Every structure is written in C-alpha cells, then in structure tokens.
Amino acid sequence: MITLAPRQGPVPGDWASPTHAETDVDRTDIEKLAELARIEITGATIDQVADSISDVLQLVEQLKSVDTEGVEPLAHPLDAVQRLRADSVTETDQREAFQALAPAAEAGLFLVPKVIE
Amino acid sequence: MHEQTIAELKRGLSSGAFSSEELTRHYLERIERLDDTYKSYITVTKEAALAQARAADAARAGGDAAPLCGIPIAHKDIFCTRGVRTSCGSKMLDNFVPPYSATAVEKLEQAGCVMLGKTNMDEFAMGSSNENSYYGEVKNPWHIDSVPGGSSGGSAACVAAQLAAAATGTDTGGSIRQPASHCGITGIKPTYGRVSRWGMVAFASSLDQGGVLARNAEDAALVLQQMAGFDNRDSTSIDRPVEDYCQNLHAGIEGTVVGVPGEYFGEGLDSAVGAAVEAAIEQFEALGARIKAIHLPHTRLAVPAYYIIAPAECSANLSRFDGVRYGYRCSDPQDLDDLYKRSRGEGFGEEVKRRILVGTYALSAGYYDAYYSQAQKVRRLIKQDFVDAFSDVDVIAGPVAPSPAFRFGAKSRDPVAMYLEDIYTVPVSLAGLPGLSLPCGLAAGKPVGLQLIGNYFDEARLLNMAHRFQQATDHHRQRAAGID
Amino acid sequence: MEWETVIGLEIHIQLSTRSKMFSGASIAFGAPPNTQASAVDLAMPGTLPVANERAFHHAVMFGLAVEAEIASTSVFERKNYFYPDLPKGYQTTQLQQPIVGRGHIDIQLADGSTRRVRIHHAHLEEDAGKSLHEDFHGMSGIDLNRAGTPLIEVVTEPDMRSAGEAVACARKLHAIATSLGICDGDMSQGSMRFDVNVSVRRQGQRQLGTRTETKNLNSFRFIEEAIALEVERQIELLEDGGEVVQETRLYNGETKTARPMRSKEEANDYRYFPCPDLLPVVLDQDYIDAIARELPELPDARRRRFAEQYQLSDYDAGILSGDAATAAFFEQVAATCKDPKQAANWVMGELTARLNTAELAIADSPISAPQLAGMIARLQDGSISSKMAKQVFEAMWNGEGDADTVIEKRGLRQVSDSAELEAMVDDVIARSAKQVDNYRSADPAKRPKMLGYFVGQIMKASKGQANPQAVNKILQKKLTPRD
C-alpha cells in the first residue's frame, strides 16, 4: 500500500466563489478589450463573453495573494539565454509563393483598405 | 497490419512481408471506411502518401532505408506541411497552404515516414476536449459520445482507432498527455526546447512543445528519436545531443525512486481514476522501484498561472492573423478597422477569442505586474517545487486527468471547469519538464492514464519506465470495442 | 512674455547589417516590393525569430561612442498594436532592459560653447514595412521589404533649447553613426529618422509644458522647420489662452505645414511583455571590450585633430569632421594636393553646394577626391586662375575627365609668362594715354581701384587667360609715375 502525503490537492470547487465583485468585467470592459484585440464581438454575445471572462479572472485572482517577494519571473523553463545568428543573407525571394496566399495582392503589394496616418 | 506496432511494422517491411505501399493503402482504406465516424483527420493526403510510400519502397530496395522508412503516420494540423493545407483547426486558416514545412515534419520525412494526413484538433490548440475545432468534434474511439481529449484529440483518436501507426502532437498545458490518457494510448511531451517549434503554429511560445502519440512506449521512443534535436531556427531550442531512447528501453528499473505527490491525489480526483493510478504505482513497486511520498506545494497555483501566461502569449501570437497576408479575410471590409475586426471576429472561434481577450486584459496597462509578471514568478515557484523534488526522486508519478473522458457538451459551456481538466498536466508544462502518459486501466469502461514526469532531458528514463511497465502489463493492448 | 523651448529627440538609426534583425532576408535598399520579405518577415504561421549578432555589435559600438553603460543582459519585448505594415501585430523592441543605458553627447553651439545632451537610453528593435498610398482601386499597397530591418532607437533627455541645438544634436548623432560605420547615414532613404518632442514654457518656469511629438523627419532642414513651426504654434496657442494637447503630429516638408496624426493615439495600450520566442541576450565583458578596442576615431576627436593637423578654424574642422564620408573625402583631397586650406574651401564651398543642389551624398560625388586635388594643384601652381577653376570644376562635374584633361581640351592655360604679359601691358598702356595720365595724377590711395580698368583690358585682350595677379604686379610697376 502506498502512503501518500496529506491530501491538499487542488479542488475544482475551491474556485467557484459566489462573489466576483473585484474581477467582474462588464460590457464596457469587453468593448475596450475587443477594440485593443481588433475582434468584433456582436452585441448579442457580449454579456455572455463578459460573464465567461469574469469567471476566468476569478480563477486567476488567487495569484495576487501569493508572496513572490524576491522571486525572478521565469522566461524560459531552463533559464536559457539567446543564441545570436551570424549576419548573413540566407533567404531568397519567394514573393510569388507567399503572395499566392494573400487575400488581395497587386503589383507585388499586399492590398488593404486605405491606410490613414 | 494496422494492429502492428511500429517495431513490428519495421520488421515486416524489412523482411518484405509487405511493402510500404501496401501498408499505406491499407491505412488509407481504413481511414476512408472509419474516419467518418471519428473525424480524426482534417485532411487526408492520399496521393502524396502513396507517392511517399513508393519512394520509401524504392529506397529500401536500393538498400537505403531510413530508420522509419515507409511507416505511415499522421501530423497534427498545427505542424506546417509544404503544399498541404495547415488549418490549425481554424476557419482562419481553412485556405492556408504553407510553402514550407515544420522542422519536426521535415525530420520525420527524412526518417522515411509516410504522411497519411493532418489530424483534427482544438482550434489553435486551445481546448481539452476537441470540441473547439472548426472541422467538428473528434469522437473518442472508446466511447463515441465522449470527447477524445484535447487539443491533440485527432492524433489521439486516430492512433487509438488504428488509423495511423503513430501521430505527432503538441502539448502546451497537457494537449498530448490528456488526449493520450482519454484514448488509451501512450503520449510523450519532451522537455521544453527538445523538439523544434519552427513551423509549429504558435499558441503559447514559452509552453508549446511537440511530441508523439503512439501505441506504446517503444513506438513513442522510435518516433521521438527522429523528431527531437536542436534547430538553429528556433531560439528556444536546446543545443544538446539527443539521447538514444531505444537503447535503454529494456533496462531494469530496480532501485528507481518514484515520487508520488500528495497534491495530485486531492479531492477533485475521480476515485476510480485514483485507484487505477495507485495500482499502476504499485506495479512499479513490484518491478523494483521505490515509492516515496513527496510534496509539490504550489500545485494549486498552476492552473491560475497557466491561464494568465498562455492567454497573454496567445493574444500576441495570434495578432498576425489579420486578414492581410494570408488566411481568412471578411467580405467587403469598409475600412482597415473593419477588415481587422470582422476577419478576426469571424475567423476565430469562441474559445480562441475568449483567450485572446483574457490575455489582452492581463497585459493591458495597469495589470501587467499583477497578472503576467506575477504568474511568471509563480511559475518559478512551481518549477522550484519540481527541482526540489528531483533532488530526492528519479521520476514523479500521478494521474494525467482528474476524470476519464467526459461526454460532449459536459463542460463546453463552462470554461473554468474545462480548464481544471489540466490541473495535473499544467504544472509540468510550466516547469518545462518531460511528461509521459500511459494507459493504466479503465474507469467506467474508459481509459485512464498514468502520468510519469521526468527531470529535464530525462525522456529516456520515462520511456524506459513506461516500456517496462508495458512489458509487465497489457493495459496498452486494450482496444476500444468496435476497433477491428 | 519670454518663452523657452524644450526639445528632446528620438532617433531611429538603421543599422548597416547584411540581413534583418530576426531573419536572413537582405536589407538592401530599393528592391522590388516584397522580394526581401521572408516567411519570418511576413509573420507566416509557425515562423520564429533568431537575433542577428551584428546588430548587437553595432548597438554596443554606439553605446561605447556615447560613453553609455552597456547592459550585460538585454531583453526583447513585444509592443502590441495593429497596423498593416506591422505583420506580427507587434513590434519586437526593448523596453525594460535596453542594450544601451544612460550616456551623453556634446554639441557645439553657434556661440562656440558646448552643450551636453544626455542620452536616456538606446534600444534595438525592428523596423516596420511601408504603406504605399497610391491608389489601388481605393486600397493601399503594403511593401514589407523594410519590415524587420534592424534599428537602434536613441532617446535623448529634453536637453535642447532651440531648433538649432536640436539640429546640432541630430548632426552629431549622424556623425557618430556614420563614423562608426553602423549606418550609411543616407537620410533620403530613411536610414536615419527623427522624432522631435517639443514643448514650451515661460522663462523661469521649472515645470515642463505639455509636449507634442512630430514624427518621422528625415532631413536636418525638416527638423529645423518642423520645430520652428511647432514652437510658433504652441506659443500662439498659449498666448491666446488655449492649451497644448499632447499628440503626435506629422510635418509635410513640401507644404511646410503640420497636422495631428489621425490614428487614435489615445486608444493605444501597447501591452508590452517579454518576447517568449527570444531569450535574454547576455553579452560578456570580453565581447564588449573587444568592440571597444576596435572603435574607430569619433567625430569629436577628429575635429580636434583636423584643427591641429590642418590648421583649420574650429568651425571648419567641425564641419569637415562631422560626417565620416566628408571627413575621408577632405583628408584625401588635402593629402593629395598638399593644401589643406584650399581643400577645405573647395569641399565646404563649391562641392557641398553642388551636392546639396543635386541631392547627392558625398560618396556619390561625380568629382572624386583625386580629381578635386588635381584641380587645386593647378590652381596653386598658377596654371589656371580661380575663375578658370570654376570652369574646370563644372567640366569635371559633368564628367569631362580630370583637371588636366579639361584644361588641355578647353585651352584654359593661364598666361603667367612675364615677357608675354609685359608685351600685353605695354600695348594696353600705349592705347590708353588718357587713363594712364589720370592714374598717374591720382592720389596714390585711390590708384589700386583705378587699376581695374587696365586689368580688364588685358584680360579681354588675352581672352581671359592672363594671370590676374601677375598682370597686377606688372601694371603697378609700369604705371607708377617715374620720378
């Protein structure tokens, strides 16, 4: 028989806290996020999206209370550092192959609705 | 032929019992006949597969047989394949035919593999049930009403239904291990940086890792051997020789110390799953391993940390899908903003959009420190748990998922419930450690997976342990009813 | 009411590497659109960046040249925003841990004094592509050849107090970058681009006023004009009781007007975070030391050397040493003709004027340094007059060959032979009895002016070939009344 350490594992129910208050996002928040992410969210689904995102934010809320004083953020699991590439030209022109994938291209250019600076 | 493992197929091919063309035709015929049910493939590359098979046969006849010469496999549709549509399970890339191949695909091609097609998956690898695919949900061959797991659900289902000898997959938070567990096959996610990410459509760059789903540990070792290795096109790839995974496959495991984390056997764990996993651990003890209770105290923070880091990275990684250079573009864009918003709004599915918005929130002004930066610190705490544990043990064992495959729709309306599917796989991903899932019994008639977690670059040990287990048991030989 | 102008600069310097910051595509200028946009540059799915070593080398050179701290660890971050010339939807740049930390440069002011401009930091980043606004059925065309070109962005403190100072600072940075060879300095091709942050405050006020940023100025003249215009606008606004709004503005060098950018700046929230595809870059001290040892002569040192070695005024030395190509050109001319003063005059004068008019860089000058030196040598030995030199210069500019060829072909030889000249002088004197009498009876102080008539007659008689100095001497001798 295996003797296991005291059971204190994650319990799904733990996160189903009844109050969301702090992490609730509303329609305005979703509109702002959707604008930043350039994603159209239709009016009909916006409340549903707000609710599900509030749920996710509720889930991650507990991170805030963890004491991470003096802990370095982890960027690469092995704390590896960047290798640098020698400066040489290794690519050849593949415009034709790439632009065959483009929704709209002409005269070697990708076309988009007028760009206004 | 489809019942044979890769090791057996290699012998059959080299003895001339059958040709790769015959083998490939056989698999293609099975796919045609059975995959309407499972929907494990998005694209079947029949003609190209037969051409590759004939080339493999010719190479073999010429005395030039690569290690996996003529073995038919499938690639998750997240790996770019030159000239073959790579959709990533998304409407966004429904028309995307890359003019280049992923390193992993190239390496397996050089090893002689025949590509049967591209497997179904959760859109952009986001999901744990394969319900998020633009191409429809994949059915679990064991239980047609249940999910196969995700995101590499198509790869898991096609191997379980014997529609390919093995398949590639990717794992960001459990996407190889969890579907392997739910479909009763063996899956390995190697150490982060072991398999090149070049040509693998990115979900969360610091977590994504390619790997293998196969019938058993030996097959997984044979395929991973060819897939792994340093790639100078991937800055996060590790420049370190690949161990010989097959050489030590049969070695005894006496004296190996297996750590069992109490945190992986908590309240959320289905009791039948727990029982199967505990029995498997006892089996290791019977094989001569020493079992040791350990602690991984930050386990409960893994899912929250993951659901900040992965969405944050994905929110930036998926910005390139903007309807300008490739992929879906909405019809009649009124202006540039409209082009972006509708192309992305219409091209992405619900879960992908949700994660992009969560990631956008976590990175937006005023939240970076509280969310992303804090999650990366917690990530170091989680990694440190493992580092500490591996000073005492050689390998860590526990469940893959808290419960067996659930029914379609059971969690799809509740993202958080779905995310908690990953509680035992996500910590390993955050730490960048190798993890292997192997079948260890059934719960309510559905497969249960045992997770073996290794130290960095200890894939050979995981495969050796799994192989020894499979030599002593026959859980991995169990097949779903109806798979002939 | 007296107003004080406060200016800070942000300078984008394109690095002279062969390949891009994160891909192996060429950065050569002028290729047909999108032929130098690789899969990485197009942000094709699954592609990954690998950083270019030479870009770091160049950034470290720059950092050392401005006496800045070089970060042993620097980190790339993603700056997220959507724009069609930004294929990934984020720019890979550095924010929290840039490669170059605090430094400074010294600029020479018009009054001869020196001002120190502090560099806040300089970071490595990738350039964006270009949107071409020609009409394609109401659409814009996107060329991504430039996307991924390595840049360093230099950010100064707001240490400048006039447009002139800002231009001096810009010129100094241009001089440093070109002297280091890290940038070709060709501003017409966008190799260096300037953003100016301008605010005004009442004299004596400590708090800075609200600033605006005018972006993408690609000539020193535009910097000066754009600042002058903006300062005027802000002062007028404030004096009328209005307020300056913090905004990004665009200056049009053709119409000499500026306007706010139409894109919604206020909505920007760039959501910076460390790029997970790129790891921290760690440079060891040996790497940095090796670059320090190979650092070429910098503009300040060169200016001091020019003033001393060539006996040039501080001003001339400053101009000639400012730009590496100009400095090299000048030094070659001076060495060949062995007359640094003339070399300086011709390089700074005629040559610079012609190059400016033709919008050519000195490297593309139709007259080479040896050609110019050859012409100066003929001027020196009296073979040609300075008036002839201008003709020779013109001919050389038009590709008619070097000085001797032009002189030969056009028969531009100057007559300096005294016997020949004396005969001409005698002839003129003989034909101009009245003028000779006037001259001789005039007040000696007024005589030099009266000499002009005779010189003119002789030049006319000689078809411009007489050496005016020699003619002058002979005339004076012959016209002076004999006692």
Side-chain angles (χ1 to χ4, degrees):
Chain A
M1 186 60 204
I2 310 154
T3 315
L4 294 173
R7 300 187 172 209
Q8 47 182 35
V11 182
D14 278 6
W15 289 303
S17 165
T19 55
H20 276 186
E22 254 185 73
T23 53
D24 264 8
V25 290
D26 57 23
R27 291 179 74 98
T28 327
D29 298 322
I30 296 298
E31 278 161 9
K32 193 182 146 225
L33 293 175
E35 177 65 33
L36 279 174
R38 298 293 190 279
I39 289 178
E40 184 185 62
I41 307 277
T42 54
T45 59
I46 197 159
D47 287 325
Q48 192 196 325
V49 172
D51 282 350
S52 74
I53 288 180
S54 297
D55 285 348
V56 177
L57 294 176
Q58 176 67 15
L59 165 74
V60 300
E61 191 60 16
Q62 57 179 311
L63 285 178
K64 288 186 179 168
S65 59
V66 182
D67 180 8
T68 52
E69 181 82 32
V71 179
E72 275 293 301
L74 183 146
H76 184 281
L78 295 155
D79 289 317
V81 298
Q82 179 67 28
R83 261 176 298 109
L84 298 176
R85 172 177 64 83
D87 178 31
S88 58
V89 175
T90 53
E91 297 292 328
T92 51
D93 173 23
Q94 292 190 69
R95 184 174 81 181
E96 211 171 310
F98 291 138
Q99 291 202 337
L101 299 164
E106 195 180 304
L109 300 163
F110 296 98
L111 297 190
V112 297
K114 251 209 163 351
V115 175
I116 299 161
E117 283 191 319
Chain B
M1 276 186 280
H2 58 272
E3 296 191 333
Q4 297 185 27
T5 65
I6 292 175
E8 288 160 354
L9 291 174
K10 274 171 65 112
R11 286 192 286 275
L13 286 165
S14 66
S15 72
F18 46 84
S19 69
S20 175
E21 187 177 353
E22 287 168 318
L23 176 63
T24 301
R25 275 191 198 286
H26 177 73
Y27 268 115
L28 289 167
E29 179 277 319
R30 277 182 68 78
I31 294 167
E32 204 166 316
R33 184 158 51 84
L34 301 169
D35 204 44
D36 268 355
T37 308
Y38 305 119
K39 299 259 189 298
S40 67
Y41 281 88
I42 290 174
T43 304
V44 179
T45 49
K46 186 175 175 182
E47 294 312 318
L50 289 170
Q52 276 184 326
R54 284 190 286 269
D57 287 333
R60 186 179 296 282
D64 184 23
L68 298 176
C69 182
I71 304 291
I73 61 162
H75 288 301
K76 184 176 182 178
D77 210 19
I78 198 168
F79 288 100
C80 287
T81 42
R82 185 184 300 108
V84 175
R85 191 251 309 258
T86 299
S87 75
C88 228
S90 182
K91 178 181 180 182
M92 184 60 86
L93 291 179
D94 184 45
N95 60 1
F96 181 66
V97 179
Y100 51 90
S101 285
T103 301
V105 169
E106 275 177 358
K107 285 176 82 99
L108 288 171
E109 212 170 271
Q110 278 153 23
C113 285
V114 170
M115 179 177 86
L116 293 168
K118 308 290 297 288
T119 61
N120 205 344
M121 56 183 284
D122 280 306
E123 184 180 7
F124 286 103
M126 298 176 201
S128 307
S129 68
N130 232 297
E131 291 167 291
N132 301 334
S133 170
Y134 175 62
Y135 300 92
E137 55 202 25
V138 177
K139 309 284 195 243
N140 189 323
W142 286 79
H143 197 279
I144 220 74
D145 296 329
S146 294
V147 304
S151 65
S152 312
S155 289
C158 89
V159 172
Q162 302 186 341
L163 303 179
T168 56
T170 60
D171 189 315
T172 304
S175 282
I176 287 175
R177 292 160 287 162
Q178 185 254 20
S181 171
H182 285 349
C183 290
I185 61 169
T186 303
I188 183 165
K189 172 201 100 76
T191 306
Y192 180 80
R194 183 72 294 182
V195 168
S196 169
R197 293 191 297 117
W198 173 266
M200 213 172 91
V201 182
F203 159 19
S205 309
S206 76
L207 295 156
D208 294 343
Q209 181 55 210
V212 186
L213 297 99
R215 306 279 171 82
N216 61 25
E218 185 178 19
D219 283 7
L222 285 164
V223 177
L224 185 62
Q225 192 76 58
Q226 304 306 323
M227 208 178 162
F230 172 68
D231 181 6
N232 61 17
R233 290 183 293 183
D234 173 1
S235 295
T236 59
S237 163
I238 304 288
D239 191 0
R240 174 187 167 120
V242 179
E243 270 184 81
D244 189 332
Y245 299 138
C246 298
Q247 195 177 18
N248 289 323
L249 219 44
H250 308 279
I253 60 166
E254 292 82 1
T256 303
V257 183
V258 177
V260 180
E263 291 82 358
Y264 283 45
F265 294 84
E267 227 174 283
L269 183 64
D270 176 278
S271 58
V273 170
V277 169
E278 287 181 17
I281 292 169
E282 282 177 44
Q283 178 65 47
F284 278 115
E285 199 168 21
L287 289 167
R290 218 149 49 72
I291 310 301
K292 191 170 171 8
I294 60 164
H295 276 304
L296 298 169
H298 294 96
T299 300
R300 59 175 291 122
L301 298 172
V303 167
Y306 178 87
Y307 278 97
I308 288 300
I309 294 164
E313 292 182 8
C314 102
S315 73
N317 280 336
L318 271 60
S319 292
R320 64 188 59 197
F321 303 106
D322 59 5
V324 175
R325 297 164 312 286
Y326 50 78
Y328 179 77
R329 174 183 279 202
C330 66
S331 59
D332 292 325
Q334 296 307 297
D335 54 31
L336 193 56
D337 234 31
D338 187 44
L339 166 75
Y340 285 145
K341 287 176 184 164
R342 278 200 294 125
S343 296
R344 292 165 60 76
E346 294 165 15
F348 290 140
E350 198 185 319
E351 180 62 22
V352 170
K353 286 189 266 194
R354 175 160 38 240
R355 294 204 196 181
I356 291 173
L357 294 178
V358 169
T360 302
Y361 179 88
L363 292 174
S364 61
Y367 295 121
Y368 174 83
D369 285 333
Y371 287 108
Y372 189 76
S373 177
Q374 176 73 348
Q376 289 286 47
K377 290 175 184 172
V378 167
R379 187 174 180 185
R380 187 172 294 280
L381 297 176
I382 289 164
K383 172 191 160 162
Q384 195 55 45
D385 281 359
F386 284 107
V387 170
D388 293 344
F390 280 117
S391 66
D392 288 334
V393 304
D394 299 311
V395 67
I396 294 169
V400 174
S403 54
F406 46 89
R407 285 175 178 272
F408 289 106
K411 299 184 180 184
S412 51
R413 289 287 124 213
D414 182 356
V416 170
M418 187 73 87
Y419 297 171
L420 293 172
E421 262 290 293
D422 305 330
I423 49 178
Y424 308 131
T425 47
V426 151
V428 183
S429 299
L430 289 170
L433 292 163
L436 182 149
S437 168
L438 72 162
C440 68
L442 300 176
K446 294 174 185 172
V448 174
L450 169 77
Q451 182 172 214
L452 294 177
I453 303 161
N455 209 336
Y456 294 108
F457 300 104
D458 218 1
E459 288 82 7
R461 186 195 295 275
L462 296 185
L463 290 161
N464 164 228
M465 300 267 304
H467 181 69
R468 293 293 295 184
F469 181 89
Q470 291 177 340
Q471 295 292 98
T473 61
D474 66 353
H475 300 297
H476 65 291
R477 290 197 191 86
Q478 302 287 315
R479 268 184 290 125
I483 305 293
D484 55 359
Chain C
M1 180 61 70
E2 284 296 301
W3 293 90
E4 184 182 43
T5 305
V6 178
I7 303 164
L9 294 179
E10 291 170 27
I11 306 94
H12 290 90
I13 303 175
Q14 272 186 8
L15 299 178
S16 314
T17 53
R18 297 186 186 96
S19 64
K20 292 191 178 175
M21 185 71 234
F22 300 114
S23 87
S26 168
I27 65 162
F29 184 83
N34 289 307
T35 54
Q36 289 177 172
S38 71
V40 171
D41 307 320
L42 293 174
M44 300 296 282
T47 59
L48 295 169
V50 185
N52 184 338
E53 186 273 332
R54 198 187 304 271
F56 278 88
H57 178 276
H58 286 2
V60 170
M61 276 183 113
F62 178 81
L64 293 170
V66 299
E67 296 177 4
E69 307 149 23
I70 308 296
S72 59
T73 301
S74 53
V75 173
F76 283 110
E77 304 205 23
R78 293 180 177 180
K79 178 184 183 182
N80 295 283
Y81 64 96
F82 285 87
Y83 208 69
D85 65 10
L86 188 73
K88 295 190 293 291
Y90 55 82
Q91 181 192 27
T92 308
T93 179
Q94 298 179 323
L95 181 72
Q96 300 286 344
Q97 292 178 263
I99 175 78
V100 174
R102 291 183 184 285
H104 58 86
I105 59 169
D106 292 327
I107 56 173
Q108 280 70 43
L109 304 185
D111 65 3
S113 66
T114 295
R115 184 194 285 282
R116 176 152 289 193
V117 174
R118 292 167 299 158
I119 306 262
H120 180 271
H121 77 274
H123 62 259
L124 272 166
E125 62 182 26
E126 57 181 345
D127 209 342
K130 284 179 183 166
S131 305
L132 307 175
H133 304 292
E134 296 104 83
D135 201 29
F136 292 95
H137 341 288
M139 314 265 272
S140 289
I142 308 296
D143 175 9
L144 297 170
N145 277 350
R146 199 180 65 179
T149 297
L151 299 177
I152 47 175
E153 181 176 340
V154 183
V155 180
T156 76
E157 298 284 0
D159 287 350
M160 288 145 279
R161 295 292 175 267
S162 70
E165 289 181 27
V167 170
C169 178
R171 283 191 185 278
K172 181 48 97 35
L173 285 164
H174 185 270
I176 291 172
T178 52
S179 301
L180 292 171
I182 61 171
C183 174
D184 65 19
D186 190 341
M187 299 182 50
S188 66
Q189 296 182 356
S191 297
M192 272 180 97
R193 307 192 295 272
F194 298 83
D195 302 342
V196 293
N197 290 303
V198 176
S199 65
V200 297
R201 62 181 168 190
R202 291 183 193 277
Q203 206 67 258
Q205 180 186 316
R206 284 188 58 193
Q207 203 188 340
L208 289 171
T210 305
R211 68 184 161 85
T212 62
E213 181 180 20
T214 305
K215 276 184 116 66
N216 264 329
L217 300 166
N218 66 351
S219 82
F220 298 125
R221 189 158 50 92
F222 290 168
I223 295 174
E224 188 150 21
E225 291 170 357
I227 292 173
L229 189 69
E230 180 58 12
V231 168
E232 194 184 298
R233 187 188 72 90
Q234 290 190 9
I235 292 175
E236 210 166 288
L237 202 61
L238 292 169
E239 286 186 341
D240 289 352
E243 269 184 29
V244 175
V245 182
Q246 186 167 343
E247 64 187 2
T248 305
R249 301 177 64 83
L250 290 175
Y251 177 72
N252 183 329
E254 275 174 38
T255 60
K256 314 242 177 274
T257 54
R259 61 164 173 88
M261 272 178 86
R262 268 173 249 170
S263 52
K264 289 173 274 176
E265 270 300 294
E266 77 283 356
N268 274 342
D269 172 352
Y270 292 125
R271 290 159 284 136
Y272 283 95
F273 76 109
C275 178
D277 285 327
L278 292 160
L279 304 171
V281 176
V282 177
L283 301 179
D284 58 30
Q285 198 55 45
D286 289 351
Y287 179 86
I288 296 166
D289 290 345
I291 294 173
R293 281 193 298 275
E294 290 163 13
L295 222 53
E297 184 180 42
L298 290 165
D300 282 345
R302 192 160 54 219
R303 180 172 49 86
R304 286 191 293 271
R305 179 169 65 79
F306 276 18
E308 196 177 311
Q309 182 180 339
Y310 300 117
Q311 295 294 300
L312 300 176
S313 70
D314 226 36
Y315 178 80
D316 289 0
I319 289 191
L320 290 168
S321 64
D323 162 85
T326 306
F329 194 99
F330 161 72
E331 289 210 86
Q332 202 187 344
V333 175
T336 313
C337 74
K338 305 205 169 51
D339 185 344
K341 190 69 208 166
Q342 281 287 0
N345 287 344
W346 279 93
V347 172
M348 289 191 301
E350 197 68 20
L351 183 66
T352 302
R354 292 300 301 260
L355 290 171
N356 285 348
T357 311
E359 293 186 348
L360 284 174
I362 197 158
D364 301 323
S365 167
I367 299 178
S368 70
Q371 280 179 327
L372 187 59
M375 187 204 80
I376 293 171
R378 291 294 155 266
L379 196 54
Q380 250 179 328
D381 66 17
S383 307
I384 53 170
S385 64
S386 40
K387 201 174 164 196
M388 287 174 182
K390 291 209 167 125
Q391 284 183 58
V392 174
F393 184 94
E394 187 65 30
M396 293 197 299
W397 181 272
N398 293 324
E400 292 178 28
D402 57 22
D404 287 342
T405 313
V406 173
I407 290 167
E408 176 74 34
K409 207 165 70 184
R410 300 202 169 185
L412 286 176
R413 254 190 52 79
Q414 176 173 257
V415 180
S416 303
D417 178 77
S418 17
E420 213 175 315
L421 289 176
E422 279 194 36
M424 282 191 225
V425 170
D426 288 343
D427 189 43
V428 168
I429 288 175
R431 286 192 281 112
S432 318
K434 199 179 156 216
Q435 285 83 353
V436 172
D437 282 349
N438 285 348
Y439 182 90
R440 288 186 173 150
S441 56
D443 180 345
K446 288 183 176 168
R447 284 178 187 162
K449 265 194 168 175
M450 300 174 76
L451 214 53
Y453 165 79
F454 298 99
V455 176
Q457 290 298 308
I458 291 160
M459 294 311 283
K460 204 169 152 192
S462 71
K463 296 191 177 72
Q465 295 192 344
N467 180 336
Q469 277 92 44
V471 169
N472 248 306
K473 267 191 201 147
I474 295 166
L475 270 172
Q476 276 180 33
K477 192 178 76 192
K478 297 211 176 214
L479 286 175
T480 305
R482 291 164 200 122
D483 299 318

